[in-house]
Amino acid sequence: KQAGDIDDGAAGIITKNDIKDFIVVGIWNSGQTRHQEYFPQKPFEQLTQVEKDSVNKQLQTAGRTTETFQPRSDDYLRFIVKELKPYIDRNYAVHTDRQNTFIAGSSMGGLISMYAICAYPKIFGGAACLSTHWVGTFTLENNPIPNAFIQYLSENLPDPKNHKMYFDCG
């Protein structure tokens, strides 16, 4: 629904010849399933049932789900890696290697980008996580998510010698 003016920004920096040419592939989201598709699944699965119930209640209160919350981000990333990226690689004049494949997003898109570089470090050489929805829900009170994300990152963040990452939150 929002492009974040990425097309204008990209055109501006490419025109200045400050960086090598690149393409941006925008992935549509339905809005309705965005939270489930972008919420890092493996950290969520490591929560206790009480913690999952707390997250579920917070997301229901915020109107992000009416059912029991279950992330589907592993399916979403598989779609990107197994279907979308191969399609782009076959049909466009692009470098296909990790050093030239980045993922980026804002808010929940920042969160899934962080998860993507951890889940597929052989595919993505970098991630830009902009205004990342770090808390995952909409409150810090009784929220186990930030600690679960920190634990996941400590075990899965790829080597900074081979990967680039930009992360901000707000």
Side-chain angles (χ1 to χ4, degrees), residues 3-20 22-24:
D5 294 325
I6 192 71
D7 52 345
D8 293 333
I13 59 175
I14 288 173
T15 301
K16 291 180 183 177
N17 291 321
D18 287 340
I19 62 173
K20 63 183 173 181
F22 63 92
I23 68 167
V24 174

Side-chain angles (χ1 to χ4, degrees), residues 138-159:
F138 296 91
T139 181
L140 286 173
E141 188 176 326
N142 298 318
N143 186 349
I145 296 303
N147 287 337
F149 289 164
I150 289 168
Q151 180 65 35
Y152 180 80
L153 288 173
S154 72
E155 297 169 2
N156 295 283
L157 199 59
D159 187 343

Side-chain angles (χ1 to χ4, degrees), residues 4-60:
D5 294 325
I6 192 71
D7 52 345
D8 293 333
I13 59 175
I14 288 173
T15 301
K16 291 180 183 177
N17 291 321
D18 287 340
I19 62 173
K20 63 183 173 181
D21 290 348
F22 63 92
I23 68 167
V24 174
V25 177
I27 304 171
W28 180 258
N29 73 78
S30 71
Q32 199 170 44
T33 59
R34 186 171 192 253
H35 218 87
Q36 289 135 330
E37 291 173 347
Y38 289 15
F39 195 102
Q41 191 167 330
K42 287 186 178 48
F44 180 82
E45 290 171 349
Q46 297 304 309
L47 298 175
T48 67
Q49 189 58 51
V50 170
E51 291 170 327
K52 288 178 185 176
D53 291 345
S54 175
V55 169
N56 186 58
K57 184 175 185 212
Q58 291 173 21
L59 291 173
Q60 285 178 345

Side-chain angles (χ1 to χ4, degrees), residues 4-170:
D5 294 325
I6 192 71
D7 52 345
D8 293 333
I13 59 175
I14 288 173
T15 301
K16 291 180 183 177
N17 291 321
D18 287 340
I19 62 173
K20 63 183 173 181
D21 290 348
F22 63 92
I23 68 167
V24 174
V25 177
I27 304 171
W28 180 258
N29 73 78
S30 71
Q32 199 170 44
T33 59
R34 186 171 192 253
H35 218 87
Q36 289 135 330
E37 291 173 347
Y38 289 15
F39 195 102
Q41 191 167 330
K42 287 186 178 48
F44 180 82
E45 290 171 349
Q46 297 304 309
L47 298 175
T48 67
Q49 189 58 51
V50 170
E51 291 170 327
K52 288 178 185 176
D53 291 345
S54 175
V55 169
N56 186 58
K57 184 175 185 212
Q58 291 173 21
L59 291 173
Q60 285 178 345
T61 300
R64 294 300 191 245
T65 187
T66 56
E67 301 170 0
T68 300
F69 180 72
Q70 179 58 51
R72 295 189 338 226
S73 55
D74 288 354
D75 290 340
Y76 178 75
L77 291 181
R78 261 190 302 280
F79 159 73
I80 292 171
V81 169
K82 303 285 186 192
E83 294 181 46
L84 182 60
K85 183 178 178 339
Y87 177 85
I88 299 299
D89 292 350
R90 280 191 314 271
N91 292 286
Y92 294 88
V94 296
H95 296 285
T96 61
D97 59 329
R98 178 186 71 210
Q99 289 79 11
N100 288 287
T101 304
F102 285 62
I103 190 162
S106 64
S107 189
M108 288 298 292
L111 203 54
I112 191 65
S113 297
M114 175 197 74
Y115 189 51
I117 197 171
C118 292
Y120 290 97
K122 291 181 180 176
I123 301 293
F124 300 108
C129 311
L130 310 168
S131 190
T132 306
H133 186 63
W134 179 247
V135 297
T137 64
F138 296 91
T139 181
L140 286 173
E141 188 176 326
N142 298 318
N143 186 349
I145 296 303
N147 287 337
F149 289 164
I150 289 168
Q151 180 65 35
Y152 180 80
L153 288 173
S154 72
E155 297 169 2
N156 295 283
L157 199 59
D159 187 343
K161 293 176 190 164
N162 304 319
H163 294 81
K164 297 177 181 177
M165 187 163 184
Y166 174 84
F167 182 97
D168 66 30
C169 178

